Amino acid sequence: MDMSEDIYRDIAQAYSAAAEKAPGLKSRFAAAGFDPAAVRSLADLSGLPVMKKEDLLKIQRENPPFGGFLASDLKDVARIYVSPGPIFEPALAGGGGHGLDLLFKAAEVGAGDIILNTWMYHLVPAGLLFDEAAQAAGATVIPGGVGNTELQAQIIVETGVTSICASTAFFLTLADKVIETYGRDAWKVKTAFLGGEMGDWVAKRRRIEAEYGVSTWAAYATADLGLVGYEDGGEGYVVHPDRVVQICDPVSGAQVDHGEPGEVVVTARDATWPMIRFGTGDSAFALESNEDGSAKRISALQGRVGAAVKVREIFVYPRVIEEVVIATPGASAAQAVVTRDNDRDMIKISLVLEDGADVSTAETAAAEAFKLHSRIRADAVSVISELPENADLIVNQKDN
């Protein structure tokens, strides 16, 4: 399915109607000189400046709880979620866990499956979204939560759990507890829906799949939007059909070229909670684009855009330095430091190597990995004896 003009027609109608009900949205449009009714294309939509999460937080503090952005009656709001900040997100009675059922359908999990859902049900949306989505797909859900490892291991064995929704770490804790307590034959779980970690955690997942005999799946969802993209067996996340996703420069808000990393900016087709040109703060790049230039499939998340440092017009994310460590023989840690020298951005990489590692091999490998993942050259790669524990992967000293 390619992005049709219909989605822009729907956006034009939905957001013009929403602006009449939501004074905060109306003033956002007025300040930008933006007429939602005139939207016919991605280019028209892009005339609206991106709204950041920080902006929404500030607007809500000035006019709680929703900052004048709720475009429906309070009686239609089924739940209010609370994100750190706090930001209040109204959830209307939405079918299918706001699109997450598409993930369960892609994984062919449904009627006859018993799912242990360990995501939190309090304040945040993860637990309830997964619960609704699993039920919409026809599965049976056990609301588990985190902790109570022994009890949950017993539940897995005695109820015949076939699928687990969990963070990668907690999934491993549960699987190991079942095997240690009840033996390998008691482990009958077939699928795991794991929390989307930043960057390329595929290697970790492949190990889990091989070791525990499960298929692993993930989605990219946020409290404000519900599902943005989901895995379908291909690379990265396929974009939800009711979302327009753009990859944008986090500073200017302009769309970046296909394949370049930038901020994930999302517009929802429906405007009851009017998320139009909303900057998620997450970074990714387009793996596949629609004809109009919007993203059809996006990469795994590269990190938070605030953690990126712009070096010679390219945003370098902490994830790139993780990739350098993975690709460098004998490397145990690395850090990049960005400075400015005679009006030129300089980036230098420091490596910590394990005993006996070959220095020149490591320096060459690190330089190549950095260039591959950031598309710029490092000015220097050097080996140091140690870095403090939890040292930042990338340090910006340009303004010092």
Side-chain angles (χ1 to χ4, degrees):
M1 182 203 88
D2 220 306
M3 189 61 68
S4 62
E5 275 145 38
D6 295 351
I7 196 164
Y8 298 108
R9 190 187 60 214
D10 290 352
I11 285 166
Q13 287 173 352
Y15 287 87
S16 338
E20 296 311 311
K21 289 185 179 172
L25 181 67
K26 190 171 199 166
S27 59
R28 180 184 169 199
F29 289 160
F34 178 79
D35 177 11
V39 170
R40 296 285 177 277
S41 66
L42 186 68
D44 296 340
L45 182 62
S46 300
L48 182 67
V50 172
M51 183 164 90
K52 303 277 191 182
K53 233 181 168 113
E54 301 76 58
D55 303 336
L56 181 59
L57 178 62
K58 187 166 164 289
I59 291 164
Q60 287 193 353
R61 285 297 73 78
E62 287 163 3
N63 178 16
F66 301 122
F69 275 80
L70 183 65
S72 52
D73 297 330
L74 194 59
K75 67 175 171 52
D76 298 324
V77 174
R79 298 191 186 107
I80 297 173
Y81 294 122
V82 185
S83 286
I87 292 179
F88 297 115
E89 281 118 359
L92 284 92
H98 295 276
L100 257 174
D101 57 323
L102 295 171
L103 174 67
F104 287 97
K105 287 168 185 163
E108 297 182 354
V109 168
D113 280 296
I114 298 177
I115 297 180
L116 177 65
N117 181 17
T118 72
W119 292 113
M120 198 162 95
Y121 281 68
H122 309 146
L123 296 177
V124 295
L128 285 158
L129 285 186
F130 271 98
D131 192 305
E132 282 179 5
Q135 290 191 53
T140 301
V141 184
I142 301 170
V146 177
N148 290 335
T149 309
E150 284 85 358
L151 174 61
Q152 296 210 60
Q154 184 184 345
I155 290 168
I156 290 168
V157 172
E158 294 186 359
T159 62
V161 165
T162 56
S163 180
I164 294 176
C165 299
S167 68
T168 310
F170 193 52
F171 171 83
L172 290 169
T173 301
L174 286 173
D176 289 342
K177 180 57 75 177
V178 167
I179 291 164
E180 172 196 316
T181 312
Y182 300 96
R184 181 77 213 196
D185 291 348
W187 175 253
K188 302 274 200 287
V189 176
K190 296 280 174 281
T191 41
F193 297 92
L194 300 177
E197 295 178 19
M198 294 295 175
D200 184 8
W201 48 309
V202 169
K204 188 191 283 186
R205 284 171 56 186
R206 293 295 165 264
R207 283 199 301 277
I208 289 170
E209 291 183 337
E211 198 163 321
Y212 299 98
V214 295
S215 63
T216 65
W217 297 81
Y220 169 42
T222 75
D224 318 88
L225 294 148
L227 184 79
V228 177
Y230 63 100
E231 290 184 347
D232 62 350
E235 200 186 338
Y237 300 115
V238 62
V239 169
H240 186 307
D242 291 332
R243 311 278 182 262
V244 176
V245 169
Q246 297 173 275
I247 307 295
C248 297
D249 181 306
V251 180
S252 70
Q255 194 166 306
V256 300
D257 292 339
H258 176 87
E260 294 249 338
E263 181 170 22
V264 180
V265 172
V266 187
T267 299
R269 187 192 287 251
D270 119 49
T272 43
W273 177 233
M275 293 289 104
I276 177 170
R277 292 267 290 163
F278 183 73
T280 60
D282 295 317
S283 86
F285 52 90
L287 289 166
E288 210 180 312
S289 294
N290 292 302
E291 278 170 27
D292 66 6
S294 61
K296 188 174 191 171
R297 186 181 288 275
I298 61 170
S299 70
L301 301 185
Q302 305 296 294
R304 298 291 292 167
V305 292
V309 180
K310 201 166 198 179
V311 185
R312 307 197 284 274
E313 299 310 307
I314 295 274
F315 282 97
V316 178
Y317 290 90
R319 178 66 210 157
V320 170
I321 313 308
E322 287 181 6
E323 293 285 5
V324 167
V325 176
I326 291 166
T328 303
S332 58
Q335 184 180 63
V337 176
V338 183
T339 54
R340 202 158 172 77
D341 190 19
N342 292 331
D343 291 336
R344 183 176 183 277
D345 291 344
M346 308 282 283
I347 185 158
K348 296 178 178 173
I349 297 167
S350 301
L351 293 174
V352 178
L353 299 182
E354 289 155 5
D355 291 344
D358 184 80
V359 171
S360 69
T361 306
E363 287 175 347
T364 306
E368 282 175 7
F370 180 78
K371 185 173 175 240
L372 174 69
H373 290 283
S374 69
R375 301 186 317 291
I376 56 173
R377 285 177 195 278
D379 295 286
V381 178
S382 57
V383 172
I384 58 172
S385 58
E386 60 175 9
L387 278 165
E389 210 174 334
N390 298 327
D392 289 335
L393 289 161
I394 184 162
V395 178
N396 182 5
Q397 293 183 348
K398 284 206 285 192
D399 305 322
N400 294 5

